[in-house]
Amino acid sequence: MSRLIIISNRVSPATGEGGGNQGGLAVALSAALRESNGLWFGWSGEETETFTGAINFQRADGVATATIDLEAQDIDEYYNGFANQTLWPLFHYRIDLAEFERGFAGGYERVNARFADTVSPLLDKDDLIWVHDYHLMPLGRELRRRDFANRIGFFLHIPWPPMRLLVSLPSHRELVESLFSYDVVGFQTRDSLEAFIDYVNGQMELTVDADGMVEFQGHKVHLIACPIGVDCEQFRRASEGEAAAAMRARMTASANDRTMIIGVDRLDYSKGLAERFLGYERFLSARPEMHGKVFLLQIAPPSRGDVTSYQEIRSSLDNLSGRINGEFSDAEWVPLRYVNRGYPRDELAGMYRAARIGLVTPLRDGMNLVAKEYVVAQDAEDPGVLILSRFAGAAEQLLDALLINPHSPEEIADAIAQALAMPLAERRRRWQSLFETVCSQDVMWWWREFTRVLEAVPQPSPSEAAEG
Ligand code: ADQ
């Protein structure tokens, strides 16, 4: 087995028993690294006055990490700029929020080259290199320019946008061409894979064969859809553990016999929080008989606070939640509990289990792990109902959820009413099928599947590598 090198914007290995409080992705990648004695490389999250390329090596619980600091201009242009103000909105279909600034694009290229320069001395020729997400799309090309003939894979965690949207990015062609330096390019869903194929057919006049193989300038790339999952076993255990039970008991006590609906999201415009609140408001207006009988707990820790569009969504949600509570609350009942903080994962598992409905309504989402966590955390005897946006990647797999269009307050309101009235037998049947799907393609399956495909790529002979 080859040594695995994971390269991502941030490095967050899981340490402690069962990964402690880290998410499934950290747990899975850490397991993959332990198995191959690999290395995880990325940005420390820290700022330095001038970029030096100095590497901070650490090893914890059998996982080796190597991190670098970035200078202020890098963070502005690469991270807050091109990644989070250009690519993120554009890839989530929010062209109205996307900023196309040359400085951002330049910073993105510069930081990708810096990643390549710094990681290069750490790489051996047999290493399997796995690059993650939209921050680092050109990294494969940068490594090829430095003569690495290794097998290099890329996985995109966010959606791939339709061709007609992507072409609004001034450097769209260069960005897509850079992906052809990889041997394997993985997407979350068939839908994203098809949008990518549509682009390479339409803009590059290339043909992708039935197995997902496409050739560009003499190099073959394997395109796959490989949906990420959650750590089913660990999260199930957490949801049955003490911390979850204690949290569940606290939630039940504070619910005071009212039925709880839960939403858990990073505070991001792609998550459809305003639309969710409006759908819930519609439900309350249409069903006065339900007043005092339900409440929505929305947990939304702030993220990317340096970016203006995130400050704006935060203040508009403050207003909207205030308006809804002002309109419907009475002395004994507050219909919307809106909380801007994160919770430890085991407590989150308890909250999911205490909720009769999981309300997951992103306007666009690569996958959405909250939907899968909600399913895993349910009590098999008395499971809750998942309401899920059709535009989350997870909707391709979770067909037994109540699938809705998050832009329609009526559909959200009707789905809430349907979920509240759903008989136990139907809840059990739907949940059983969702649980089987989520656990058969969990996050361990995901990394094994991706690395299996990458490992199957024939390694170039030394002469080919020299020519390449
Ligand atoms: P995200 O956009 O961050 O990820 P998501 O998949 O929902 O979205 O993952 C969020 C994670 O953060 C979940 O594990 C959730 O439990 C956790 N989390 C959220 N709010 C929390 C809170 N208040 N307290 C504690 N934990 C909280 C990106 C893409 C997704 C894709 C993932 C993985 O946007 O589409 O599913 O990567 O590929």
Side-chain angles (χ1 to χ4, degrees):
M1 177 197 241
S2 310
R3 184 173 76 140
L4 179 64
I5 306 289
I6 290 173
I7 309 179
S8 58
N9 175 52
R10 294 297 301 276
V11 172
S12 56
T15 52
E17 163 58 20
N21 259 316
Q22 241 113 12
L25 178 62
V27 174
L29 293 181
S30 300
L33 289 168
R34 266 185 219 108
E35 207 172 280
S36 78
N37 201 20
L39 176 73
W40 193 341
F41 180 89
W43 174 36
S44 59
E46 300 295 324
E47 181 182 319
T48 177
E49 201 163 319
T50 336
F51 180 77
T52 62
I55 301 175
N56 177 11
F57 290 98
Q58 306 239 337
R59 176 175 278 274
D61 283 342
V63 181
T65 58
T67 54
I68 51 171
D69 300 343
L70 293 177
E71 60 186 43
Q73 193 183 353
D74 291 341
I75 299 170
D76 267 5
E77 294 174 351
Y78 148 81
Y79 180 69
N80 288 324
F82 201 73
N84 286 332
Q85 290 183 73
T86 308
L87 294 179
W88 178 275
L90 178 62
F91 280 46
H92 289 86
Y93 299 47
R94 290 301 301 271
I95 185 173
D96 57 316
L97 297 178
E99 308 264 350
F100 301 110
E101 282 197 28
R102 281 206 184 130
F104 290 174
Y108 185 69
E109 293 294 329
R110 181 178 67 249
V111 171
N112 271 271
R114 285 183 164 172
F115 264 64
D117 283 335
T118 326
V119 78
S120 289
L122 311 181
L123 302 176
D124 290 333
K125 70 173 183 10
D126 294 330
D127 288 341
L128 212 58
I129 302 171
W130 189 6
V131 177
H132 287 259
D133 229 358
Y134 60 103
H135 315 87
L136 299 176
M137 285 195 236
L139 183 59
R141 183 197 63 205
E142 291 301 315
L143 291 171
R144 297 289 183 223
R145 284 181 180 163
R146 287 160 183 75
D147 287 337
F148 286 96
N150 299 53
R151 287 165 298 183
I152 313 181
F154 175 79
F155 185 80
L156 183 69
H157 290 259
I158 65 176
W160 185 269
M163 179 177 75
R164 278 166 206 267
L165 281 184
L166 186 58
V167 293
S168 59
L169 180 71
S171 55
H172 61 92
R173 173 84 187 215
E174 190 187 348
L175 190 74
V176 176
E177 279 189 10
S178 75
L179 289 174
F180 283 84
S181 295
Y182 293 101
D183 297 300
V184 177
V185 174
F187 300 92
Q188 298 272 26
T189 59
R190 299 279 329 157
D191 186 65
S192 283
L193 173 62
E194 280 160 18
F196 185 82
I197 293 176
D198 199 37
Y199 180 98
V200 302
N201 291 158
Q203 299 284 319
M204 302 173 78
E205 293 174 10
L206 299 175
T207 311
V208 181
D209 77 15
D211 299 323
M213 300 300 299
V214 53
E215 191 171 324
F216 178 62
Q217 296 180 344
H219 182 74
K220 280 209 175 88
V221 184
H222 193 174
L223 306 174
I224 60 170
C226 186
I228 196 168
V230 293
D231 185 345
C232 192
E233 240 181 81
Q234 186 218 10
F235 205 67
R236 184 89 188 138
R237 230 182 304 121
S239 71
E240 285 166 351
E242 268 174 38
M247 176 48 95
R248 190 182 177 192
R250 291 210 297 280
M251 289 311 311
T252 310
S254 93
N256 202 6
D257 286 334
R258 296 181 171 116
T259 303
M260 171 168 147
I261 305 170
I262 196 169
V264 175
D265 310 76
R266 265 186 319 100
L267 215 168
D268 191 300
Y269 48 80
S270 67
K271 302 292 180 185
L273 291 164
E275 290 75 6
R276 183 177 316 170
F277 287 0
L278 292 171
Y280 180 59
E281 183 182 41
R282 181 69 62 105
F283 166 80
L284 294 175
S285 308
R287 314 252 168 181
E289 74 281 9
M290 293 310 288
H291 293 188
K293 299 209 169 82
V294 293
F295 69 97
L296 168 60
L297 170 63
Q298 176 62 54
I299 299 173
S303 66
R304 304 176 191 168
D306 292 339
V307 176
T308 318
S309 47
Y310 286 76
Q311 295 156 7
E312 285 167 2
I313 176 81
R314 184 162 186 188
S315 94
S316 83
L317 289 170
D318 285 348
N319 286 336
L320 191 53
S321 59
R323 187 185 88 197
I324 294 171
N325 278 335
E327 191 180 346
F328 295 101
S329 296
D330 62 29
E332 293 142 273
W333 172 60
V334 177
L336 175 56
R337 299 186 190 177
Y338 176 47
V339 184
N340 289 132
R341 54 163 282 197
Y343 283 88
R345 291 182 65 71
D346 41 11
E347 293 188 3
L348 208 54
M351 292 184 187
Y352 286 139
R353 199 178 257 236
R356 166 55 57 89
I357 298 176
L359 194 51
V360 184
T361 60
L363 306 180
R364 285 288 154 190
D365 217 331
M367 178 53 58
N368 193 294
L369 295 180
V370 168
K372 293 185 173 182
E373 288 167 0
Y374 178 76
V375 168
V376 172
Q378 294 309 297
D379 176 355
E381 297 306 313
D382 187 19
V385 180
L386 176 65
I387 298 177
L388 177 63
S389 161
R390 293 183 184 286
F391 308 130
E396 269 190 17
Q397 294 169 290
L398 304 184
L399 299 172
D400 274 304
L402 297 182
L403 296 178
I404 50 99
N405 178 342
H407 298 282
S408 161
E410 281 97 348
E411 282 197 28
I412 295 177
D414 289 352
I416 292 173
Q418 188 187 346
L420 290 172
M422 193 180 285
L424 178 61
E426 182 179 352
R427 281 192 275 129
R428 281 193 185 151
R429 181 188 59 69
R430 286 179 183 266
W431 175 79
Q432 192 62 42
S433 140
L434 293 171
F435 184 72
E436 278 160 23
T437 306
V438 170
C439 290
S440 63
Q441 295 191 332
D442 70 355
V443 75
M444 301 295 171
W445 171 87
W446 167 77
W447 77 257
R448 285 189 195 285
E449 183 60 18
F450 189 93
T451 52
R452 182 187 67 73
V453 176
L454 187 56
E455 238 168 337
V457 172
Q459 261 197 313
S461 63
S463 60
E464 276 174 317
E467 284 161 22

